[in-house]
Structures are given as C-alpha cells and as structure tokens.
Amino acid sequence: MLSDSVVEGPPPFTRLWAEIVGVGRDAGSGGYLRYGFGEAVRELEGWFRGVAAADGAHTVEADGNGNLFAWYGPPPERGDAVLLGSHFDSVPYGGGYDGPLGIVSALLAVRALRESGREFRRPVGVVAFAEEEGSRFGVPCLGSRLLSGALDPDRAAGLVDRDGTALAEAMGGRPAGARPELLDRIGVFVELHIEQGRALADLGAPVGIASGIWPHGRWRLDFAGEANHAGTTRMADRRDPMLTYAFTVLAANKEARLRGAHATIGRVEVEPNATNAIPARVRGWLDARAADDATLEALVEAVRTRAVDRAARDGTTLDLTRESLSPPVEFDGGLVTAFRRVLADGVPVLPTAAGHDAGILAAHVPTAMLFVRNPTGVSHSPAESASDDDCAEGVRRLADLLTELAAAG
Ligand code: HGY
Ligand code: MN
Ligand code: MN
C-alpha cells in the first residue's frame, strides 16, 4: 500500500485539488461551467500539461479530437500502456468532482509511484477526454467516441452549440476522427470517478469497483402546434404543443417507474417563448436509461406511443429523433477480479446508470472503473461533494492498482 508522501502541510490530494477548484466555478451557485473546448477546460488542460511535465511525462499530446494524453515511462508505441484518466468538462452548474476527480487522482497516482522510487515496467498514460457530458455539442463522450471511431468526424464537425458555434470552429479545425494507432497503444484503461449515487455511502465503503453501465440514450422531442394569441384564442381552438410536451413529461416519468427504469426531460426550448403567445414549437430532450436493452427500448417506445396519441388529441405533432445511444457495458471480468484481489477487504462491486468514457473504451480495450464515495449521492449539481479523506483513499487505491499493473519489480 503506497502512503501519502511525507511532506509538511495539507495532504497531496488537498494541495493539488486546491489548484483547480476555482476554475470555471460560478460564484453565485458554486456550480461549474466547464464546457467542452471552452475557456475553463482550456485552462484546466494548460494546468494538466504543467503537472504532467513536472511529474516526468516525456510527452503530452493532443489527439486531434480534443483529448489530451500525458505519457510516462517506456514509449507508448509498445502497445501495452496502462491508461488512467477521465474528463474535465461538466454539465451546466454541475459539481466539481464528476470528471476532474479522475484526472487529479490519476496524476497523483503516477506521482506517488515516482516519489516511491518505482520505475514503470510498461508505458503509463493519463488522459483528459473531451466533452464527456455532451453539454455543449449534445453528444456525450464526444472525444472518446471520435477517438474510437464511434462518431463520424464529419457529423461531429457539423455539431452546433446553443450559440450557433460549430464544433469544427470551437476545435479550430475538423476532428481527426478514429485514431486506431493511438488506441493500439492502450493495454488497459482505468477510470476513477466519484460515485453518482449513494451505494458506497450506504455500505460505509470509501471506494468501490464498477461492474458495468446501464444502456442509456438521448432522444430529441420536437412538438409542433399553432402559434396564437394567449388572450383571444378560445381554449377549444388551440393547438398548443406545450400541452403535449407537459403530458409527455408526465408519461415518461410514469413509464419509467413502471419498468424500474430512469427517464428525465430536463432540457426544453420554446418558440417564441413569449408570455402572451401560445407556442409554435416546443423542443425537449429525453434522457432514458434502463438495466437492459429490452427495457430501455420498451420505455422509449411507450413514451413515443403515448405522446403521439396525445398529440392527435391536441392537434399537434411530435417528431422523436435519437441523438445518442450507449449500449450496456460489462467491465473486464479479469480486471475486476484483479482489482478485488489488490484492493482486498471486501471492496464492493456495483453497477451504475451513469455514462462514462470508460464505457466507450470498454468496447476496444480491457477497461475498469474505480468509484469514490459520494456521501449524499448527489451529482450533476453544485451540491455534489466528496471528502478529502475519501479522495485521498481513492488515490492510494488507484496507486496500488497502478503498482500492480505497471510498476517494475
Ligand atoms: O450523463 C451521464 O451519465 C454522465 O454523467 N455523463
Ligand atoms: Mn457527468
Ligand atoms: Mn463523469
């Protein structure tokens, strides 16, 4: 077990975390506004480059898809690199741990091994994946999907954010797309992440191992009706898409509950969005997740059917467009077994309904995740929290796993 390096002052995690905790933070809410390819993420990437170089990274490279890789030890071209990392970006007004905790922990795990004098017997990398939340361009895990070829670079180049900026403009050029030669460098990927739930808190465990990720996806709902005057239009004469939208929100909630699944409509746009006008159009986004593909499919179909029926009654129309779909993920059994051995003392193994870059990489390289306790379970909110002690424990466990996977001797 690697212990924190013996230095005066706050522990290594607290010190390094303090360097980024204010970047992209909204003073009013305490939430984070760290959008893919935006100013705050650029600042964090600059910080990342500095820390990695100071801790012995021989190369820090961008992959042409917005992802940033720091490489340590033997040349990664050997093809058996141990890659750690996560993402810097957040949902609007999200918490500060979702993503950055995995990157800071990875940088500190590498530092811990170096400070203990251990050499790396195989290449080691730390990655900051781009636009994992999809908060700016709408496609989650955008960087890891581009890297792995799961997202076409031409489709990605045309993605537009809410201000009308295209991804290609935000990135300063067309994304590189699939980089198989880069993927081939990776022997195993391990993502440490704050748990987005309270299973570890209920179990009294500071860390856990992920067994897999629920299938999940995003569907855009376009409701169209007839714009009209809010005051002079008789109720019987209205074709109000807001009515159909509101019904659909309730139907999604009910259909999810009936199936033990999760459905959320948390984002909506209204045209013309005027207090005294019946809307012409309402656009909402459905985030649906379930324990298996069949349940997810049944859930989305039930929501669609009920919404279309209601639209017929309201004299409105509905178009449903799938924007992204993430299949179920089973993390590498061999890695999970090895992790249970290395971490010992009954570390829990648990599934998650949260998506991660690890879910994308898992289709290409042996992949596993380590969760750190979230005392309230709250995430995608300024209220997301984790204790420094649990985060330091996560670093120690990640360093132990890195020792097992990559340290010489
Ligand atoms: O939405 C998710 O599941 C992840 O936090 N990006
Ligand atoms: Mn997230
Ligand atoms: Mn995340």
Side-chain angles (χ1 to χ4, degrees):
M1 172 85 83
L2 288 157
S3 60
D4 286 341
S5 43
V6 182
V7 288
E8 289 310 308
F13 173 81
T14 307
R15 279 202 310 274
L16 198 59
W17 191 252
E19 292 179 14
I20 65 164
V21 72
V23 178
R25 189 175 202 171
D26 169 62
S29 65
Y32 285 84
L33 303 170
R34 293 169 171 168
Y35 300 135
F37 312 98
E39 200 184 312
V41 168
R42 294 274 185 232
E43 184 179 339
L44 290 166
E45 289 173 345
W47 170 85
F48 174 92
R49 287 177 179 274
V51 173
D55 279 338
H58 52 72
T59 314
V60 182
E61 59 177 339
D63 74 340
N65 293 308
N67 307 310
L68 196 56
F69 290 83
W71 297 108
Y72 307 75
E77 290 71 17
R78 241 179 55 169
D80 60 346
V82 176
L83 183 69
L84 311 177
S86 190
H87 61 95
F88 276 132
D89 66 303
S90 71
V91 297
Y93 301 97
Y97 292 88
D98 174 354
L101 179 63
I103 295 175
V104 168
S105 301
L107 291 169
L108 283 171
V110 170
R111 179 183 294 178
L113 264 75
R114 268 173 49 87
E115 288 180 347
S116 68
R118 308 294 291 266
E119 291 296 317
F120 291 134
R121 70 174 187 278
R122 57 197 279 200
V124 170
V126 176
V127 63
F129 281 117
E131 180 77 344
E132 187 276 342
E133 298 292 1
S135 296
R136 183 172 175 188
F137 292 101
V139 175
C141 300
L142 181 132
S144 52
R145 287 178 199 261
L146 280 166
L147 167 68
S148 62
L151 176 62
D152 175 76
D154 289 324
R155 178 185 162 216
L159 293 172
V160 173
D161 71 9
R162 302 182 201 198
D163 301 330
T165 306
L167 173 67
E169 187 186 335
M171 287 184 69
R174 179 182 174 281
R179 295 284 308 273
E181 81 288 353
L182 213 167
L183 269 187
D184 287 346
R185 293 180 185 175
I186 306 167
V188 56
F189 176 55
V190 182
E191 179 170 7
L192 179 146
H193 204 283
I194 184 171
E195 187 201 349
Q196 292 164 304
R198 44 167 306 118
L200 293 178
D202 293 343
L203 292 166
V207 297
I209 301 166
S211 54
I213 299 177
W214 278 18
H216 58 283
R218 299 180 182 190
W219 286 261
R220 196 182 68 242
L221 303 158
D222 285 301
F223 302 90
E226 182 182 63
N228 211 326
H229 195 296
T232 56
T233 312
R234 294 186 322 144
M235 297 309 281
D237 297 340
R238 292 173 182 224
R239 295 198 292 123
D240 183 352
M242 187 66 87
L243 218 53
T244 320
Y245 164 79
F247 171 86
T248 304
V249 172
L250 294 171
N253 185 283
K254 176 149 186 216
E255 294 301 333
R257 288 169 184 273
L258 290 173
R259 292 172 173 79
H262 299 171
T264 313
I265 299 180
R267 179 184 169 193
V268 64
E269 292 171 358
V270 185
E271 275 181 41
N273 209 20
T275 306
N276 56 350
I278 300 166
R281 263 171 301 285
V282 175
R283 172 171 282 185
W285 279 264
L286 169 66
D287 177 312
R289 313 192 185 204
D292 58 74
D293 281 328
T295 306
L296 178 62
E297 222 169 287
L299 167 61
V300 175
E301 180 52 23
V303 173
R304 191 194 65 77
T305 307
R306 293 191 63 189
V308 167
D309 289 351
R310 178 71 201 212
R313 284 169 47 195
D314 295 339
T316 58
T317 60
L318 164 64
D319 282 323
L320 184 82
T321 310
R322 193 180 79 192
E323 291 195 337
S324 70
L325 183 65
S326 303
V329 173
E330 195 76 28
F331 287 120
D332 184 87
L335 275 178
V336 171
T337 306
F339 281 20
R340 295 181 77 167
R341 177 175 46 78
V342 173
L343 299 177
D345 60 30
V347 169
V349 179
L350 54 152
T352 179
H356 299 282
D357 291 305
I360 303 298
L361 272 281
H364 301 274
V365 297
T367 298
M369 289 191 75
L370 197 57
F371 286 140
V372 170
R373 175 166 44 194
N374 174 336
T376 64
V378 171
S379 186
H380 285 188
S381 155
E384 182 186 77
S385 70
S387 73
D388 277 12
D389 286 351
D390 283 350
C391 295
E393 180 65 9
V395 171
R396 266 191 293 277
R397 296 321 189 85
L398 189 61
D400 289 341
L401 294 171
L402 186 61
T403 301
E404 172 79 8
L405 290 167

